[in-house]
Amino acid sequence: MSAVITFLSDFGLTDTYSGICRAVIATVAPEATVIDLTHTVPALDVRRGATALADCVSVAPAAVHLAVVDPDAATRPGVALVAGASRLVGPDNGLLLPAAEALGGIDAAYLLTDGRWHRAPASPVFRGRDVFAPVAAHLATGVAPSDVGPRMDPCRLQRLDGVDSVVGHRQIATQIRHIDCYGNVQLSVTTGDLQRAGLDHGQPVRVGTRHETLDVRRVDSFSDLSSGELGIVEDSFGWLAIVAGAAAAADRLDLRAADPVRLGDD
Amino acid sequence: MSAVITFLSDFGLTDTYSGICRAVIATVAPEATVIDLTHTVPALDVRRGATALADCVSVAPAAVHLAVVDPDAATRPGVALVAGASRLVGPDNGLLLPAAEALGGIDAAYLLTDGRWHRAPASPVFRGRDVFAPVAAHLATGVAPSDVGPRMDPCRLQRLDGVDSVVGHRQIATQIRHIDCYGNVQLSVTTGDLQRAGLDHGQPVRVGTRHETLDVRRVDSFSDLSSGELGIVEDSFGWLAIVAGAAAAADRLDLRAADPVRLGDD
Amino acid sequence: MSAVITFLSDFGLTDTYSGICRAVIATVAPEATVIDLTHTVPALDVRRGATALADCVSVAPAAVHLAVVDPDAATRPGVALVAGASRLVGPDNGLLLPAAEALGGIDAAYLLTDGRWHRAPASPVFRGRDVFAPVAAHLATGVAPSDVGPRMDPCRLQRLDGVDSVVGHRQIATQIRHIDCYGNVQLSVTTGDLQRAGLDHGQPVRVGTRHETLDVRRVDSFSDLSSGELGIVEDSFGWLAIVAGAAAAADRLDLRAADPVRLGDD
């Protein structure tokens, strides 16, 4: 069986950092299939890394998910999480938790303290290369998670502040979760949230941004929209998204990631 | 034998879309070698996707070529084309045809209607992940093209409007096919076209752009040009290109993709 | 055993050039693991390609290192270098030498003249695809370096002008080697250079840029810096780097690649 390692980071594409990590993985686990999810998470943006990873893992096969967005390298330990048949490896800064939850929750958590699985000597400024990548590779070759370091209580893992939407009666206060390269505006709201708020009634949904308030049709797909028309779809990850027919909704509405958005009555 | 899947899209590099498709492929066809051709086709630019793919397939080994530039997801069906020992998978919007022709023509075409090979439930807004990627992966594992859906008449496949050059007597009216990252200006003209027009006579070729008219030397390689000097070479895909010695010809001439260009007498 | 090929170029990500080379490699060496180090070396910037490659190879497993930054394609031959258990393939323009030295020096050098290992017909304008990639792939399948062409004297390989730092008494004149995507400023100076200059005395190091002179603390890691504070660390490749706590040092100091930097007394 060829093990799969997925790899997400904020290493960018103009340096060799992600390539170097892959070289380290190839040294330890030459038979593993490595899948780059993305390396252009904005530098040090743990929240975006976390949401991107969470959206990916539910689609991926059982795998070792290596994720590195590591602004607090020396103050937060590295961890390996077991979630069903998958493992997640990276810093304990909240990056891995949404993905672990998307995989059904954390079965066990371990601190990456056993130097046997690290590159030596490990640089204090590149844990991705010297700790996370080699540990992920060793896990892919069959090393037991319990061998990488002492077990820890998953409740003590660091969490990101929630981007919880507030679902009220005929009203939802939420935030933009992500804007993709097509200008689709992903919200932290599901169809279920819309139903709970009583807004899934077949009529246009009132959308309030920082700039304006407008009524937007709920549609199934881009093909239900005329060119330039705004619509709300359920995106392929299960989130509601404001989109536009053959156009970039984010440009049309002048929206940016993390902007607040209101749905429903004012 | 390890099957090869090439993968081209307009998914960009800042989202996880291409990574997710690779994760889907790894689930279905863990042994396949996946080669990213490019994922930075400009968003929804079917024509550029088509020309880029066509230039690649003639160099690649026999493979499943997965291509996704899909502005009309819900109105155009998905198709699998057989071209010699290779298969092409993607939307029926003209994206695959130039590549199929570069491979010697279409031997058979099938509609991607058999849900057995799709991800379930399939999202209406991400066919790349839920239809094209898994079908490509299944084909790579040996599923017969005739199993993915009903056979269709290749003559009914959608074609892009031609970028045909008009080759006259001592004159060619053409268009810029692509400008690459070095600023080389690829034209929709071959050496054969130049010969047919009677312009391959060893003298400089008159080049007319929207901005100016100038005489440019026909050379074999960049090394025949002094620094900054313009020249016309046959590029590595067989197209004529306006290039410059150690400089970006597109910047020198202020040219953009799809600009019209005249060769020969005014 | 699955051979490893690392691949570095200035092909960029908006064209299909690196993908096409991988397709060629897959044709010749379908079992090889190909690791992209980076393809965004600035166009024709041999020096940056050389330093990036040199930093990677010491971390990678024994491999065939394919590198293509090729501004003088027709005037400089292609070469294969043997360095320990690794091979380097690319143009003889200085690109490969720092990497070969990082691997312990050149054991043998060969000119890539034997057309048996090239793609035919070879285009005079894309040696990466037609010469370097297929030769690298053949070496990965076990072809002997001595088979790719005649042996040459390594002393005759082209060298880049040195970016040697001048290490004096309590003073070092150096240059910025690279600025990474986080804004970390890598200098062509090692901890050993600092010791030789007598500047490793536990006190702040005086740093002189084109714009200003300031005293910067020598620290072990980013965690020793408060937010925005400048520091000098030994980076993960063994070079000293000017960094900032949770900020881009290059922006703070308005520095660019290849800028001169003085360390120590004025």
Side-chain angles (χ1 to χ4, degrees):
Chain A
M1 196 210 67
S2 79
V4 171
I5 299 173
T6 78
F7 185 12
L8 173 147
S9 78
D10 68 344
F11 291 154
L13 299 166
T14 59
D15 296 297
T16 55
Y17 298 141
S18 68
I20 285 171
C21 290
R22 291 188 72 146
V24 168
I25 291 169
T27 311
V28 174
E31 304 301 330
T33 297
V34 184
I35 296 174
D36 294 304
L37 296 177
T38 184
H39 295 293
T40 59
V41 171
L44 311 183
D45 187 343
V46 178
R47 180 179 304 281
R48 171 56 194 154
T51 54
L53 185 65
D55 281 348
C56 289
V57 293
S58 48
V59 174
V64 179
H65 300 293
L66 167 64
V68 190
V69 182
D70 198 17
D72 310 298
T75 55
R76 302 296 315 169
V79 291
L81 310 182
V82 176
S86 289
R87 285 90 181 87
L88 301 108
V89 176
D92 171 23
N93 61 9
L95 179 65
L96 307 177
L97 257 72
E101 280 154 15
L103 287 167
I106 300 171
D107 297 317
Y110 301 91
L111 288 166
L112 305 186
T113 53
D114 190 333
R116 279 182 297 164
W117 319 111
H118 305 178
R119 243 188 114 250
S123 162
V125 295
F126 196 0
R127 291 203 293 186
R129 179 190 71 185
D130 296 341
V131 177
F132 301 137
V135 167
H138 281 294
L139 291 174
T141 64
V143 168
S146 58
D147 263 1
V148 302
R151 191 156 180 162
M152 69 175 286
D153 179 355
C155 296
R156 304 196 54 189
L157 290 165
Q158 184 160 315
R159 296 186 162 271
L160 296 168
D161 293 340
V163 246
D164 296 329
S165 298
V166 180
V167 178
H169 177 60
R170 302 192 56 75
Q171 201 175 35
I172 300 174
T174 185
Q175 205 177 5
I176 295 178
R177 194 170 183 273
H178 179 54
I179 295 174
D180 76 6
C181 69
Y182 303 98
N184 300 322
V185 179
Q186 186 186 57
L187 304 175
S188 295
V189 174
T190 64
T191 300
D193 294 330
L194 211 62
Q195 289 166 342
R196 269 198 298 286
L199 291 167
D200 198 31
H201 46 42
Q203 291 171 5
V205 177
R206 179 146 295 183
V207 173
T209 74
R210 288 206 286 211
H211 312 296
E212 60 195 308
T213 299
L214 63 176
D215 291 330
V216 181
R217 277 209 298 148
R218 180 79 172 76
V219 296
D220 286 333
S221 175
F222 289 85
S223 61
D224 300 318
L225 298 170
S226 55
S227 183
E229 186 189 5
L230 292 169
I232 293 181
V233 301
E234 182 178 274
D235 79 7
S236 62
F237 304 105
W239 302 101
L240 295 186
I242 308 172
V243 303
D251 293 348
R252 285 281 312 278
L253 297 170
D254 191 18
L255 295 176
R256 264 165 289 194
D259 271 5
V261 170
R262 279 168 293 108
L263 299 181
D265 302 343
D266 291 322
Chain B
M1 196 210 67
S2 79
V4 171
I5 299 173
T6 78
F7 185 14
L8 174 147
S9 78
D10 67 344
F11 291 154
L13 299 166
T14 59
D15 297 297
T16 55
Y17 299 141
S18 69
I20 285 171
C21 289
R22 291 188 71 147
V24 168
I25 292 169
T27 310
V28 174
E31 304 300 329
T33 297
V34 183
I35 296 173
D36 294 304
L37 296 177
T38 184
H39 295 294
T40 59
V41 170
L44 311 183
D45 187 342
V46 178
R47 180 178 303 282
R48 170 56 193 153
T51 55
L53 185 65
D55 281 348
C56 289
V57 293
S58 47
V59 174
V64 179
H65 300 293
L66 167 64
V68 190
V69 182
D70 198 18
D72 310 298
T75 54
R76 302 297 315 170
V79 291
L81 310 182
V82 176
S86 289
R87 285 90 180 87
L88 301 108
V89 176
D92 172 25
N93 61 9
L95 179 66
L96 307 178
L97 257 71
E101 281 154 15
L103 287 168
I106 300 171
D107 297 315
Y110 301 91
L111 288 166
L112 305 186
T113 52
D114 190 332
R116 278 182 297 163
W117 318 111
H118 304 177
R119 242 187 115 250
S123 162
V125 294
F126 196 0
R127 290 203 294 186
R129 180 190 70 185
D130 296 341
V131 178
F132 301 136
V135 167
H138 281 293
L139 290 174
T141 64
V143 168
S146 58
D147 264 1
V148 303
R151 192 157 180 161
M152 69 175 286
D153 179 355
C155 296
R156 304 194 55 189
L157 290 165
Q158 184 159 314
R159 295 187 163 271
L160 296 168
D161 293 339
V163 246
D164 296 329
S165 298
V166 180
V167 178
H169 177 62
R170 301 192 57 74
Q171 202 175 33
I172 301 174
T174 185
Q175 206 176 3
I176 295 177
R177 193 169 183 274
H178 179 53
I179 294 174
D180 76 6
C181 69
Y182 303 97
N184 299 321
V185 179
Q186 187 186 55
L187 303 175
S188 296
V189 174
T190 65
T191 300
D193 294 331
L194 211 63
Q195 289 167 343
R196 270 197 297 287
L199 291 167
D200 198 31
H201 45 41
Q203 290 172 6
V205 177
R206 180 147 295 182
V207 173
T209 73
R210 288 206 286 212
H211 312 295
E212 60 194 309
T213 299
L214 65 176
D215 291 330
V216 180
R217 278 208 296 149
R218 180 81 172 76
V219 296
D220 286 333
S221 174
F222 289 85
S223 61
D224 300 318
L225 298 170
S226 55
S227 183
E229 187 188 3
L230 293 169
I232 294 180
V233 301
E234 182 177 274
D235 79 7
S236 61
F237 305 105
W239 302 101
L240 295 187
I242 307 172
V243 303
D251 293 346
R252 285 283 310 280
L253 297 170
D254 191 18
L255 295 175
R256 265 166 288 195
D259 270 6
V261 170
R262 280 167 293 107
L263 299 181
D265 302 343
D266 290 322
Chain C
M1 197 209 65
S2 78
V4 171
I5 298 173
T6 78
F7 185 14
L8 173 147
S9 78
D10 67 344
F11 291 154
L13 299 165
T14 59
D15 296 297
T16 55
Y17 299 141
S18 69
I20 286 171
C21 289
R22 291 188 71 147
V24 168
I25 292 170
T27 310
V28 175
E31 304 300 330
T33 297
V34 184
I35 296 174
D36 294 304
L37 296 177
T38 184
H39 295 295
T40 59
V41 170
L44 311 183
D45 187 342
V46 178
R47 181 178 302 282
R48 172 54 194 154
T51 55
L53 185 64
D55 282 349
C56 289
V57 292
S58 48
V59 174
V64 179
H65 300 292
L66 167 64
V68 190
V69 183
D70 197 18
D72 310 297
T75 54
R76 302 297 315 169
V79 292
L81 310 182
V82 176
S86 289
R87 286 91 180 85
L88 301 109
V89 176
D92 172 24
N93 61 8
L95 178 66
L96 307 177
L97 256 73
E101 281 154 15
L103 287 167
I106 300 170
D107 298 316
Y110 301 91
L111 288 167
L112 305 186
T113 52
D114 190 333
R116 279 182 296 164
W117 319 111
H118 304 177
R119 243 187 115 251
S123 162
V125 295
F126 197 178
R127 291 203 295 185
R129 179 190 70 185
D130 296 341
V131 178
F132 301 137
V135 167
H138 281 293
L139 290 174
T141 64
V143 168
S146 57
D147 264 2
V148 302
R151 191 156 181 162
M152 69 175 287
D153 179 356
C155 296
R156 304 194 55 188
L157 290 165
Q158 184 159 315
R159 294 186 164 271
L160 296 168
D161 293 339
V163 248
D164 296 328
S165 297
V166 181
V167 178
H169 176 61
R170 302 193 56 75
Q171 202 175 32
I172 301 175
T174 186
Q175 206 176 4
I176 295 177
R177 193 170 184 272
H178 179 53
I179 295 175
D180 75 7
C181 68
Y182 303 98
N184 300 321
V185 179
Q186 187 186 56
L187 304 175
S188 296
V189 175
T190 64
T191 300
D193 294 330
L194 211 62
Q195 289 167 342
R196 270 197 298 286
L199 290 168
D200 198 30
H201 45 42
Q203 290 171 5
V205 178
R206 180 147 295 182
V207 173
T209 74
R210 289 206 286 212
H211 312 297
E212 60 194 309
T213 299
L214 65 176
D215 291 329
V216 181
R217 278 207 297 149
R218 179 81 173 75
V219 296
D220 286 333
S221 174
F222 290 86
S223 60
D224 300 318
L225 297 170
S226 54
S227 183
E229 187 189 4
L230 292 169
I232 294 180
V233 302
E234 182 178 275
D235 79 7
S236 62
F237 304 105
W239 302 101
L240 295 186
I242 308 173
V243 302
D251 292 348
R252 284 281 312 278
L253 296 170
D254 191 17
L255 295 175
R256 264 165 291 194
D259 271 5
V261 170
R262 281 167 292 107
L263 300 181
D265 302 343
D266 290 323

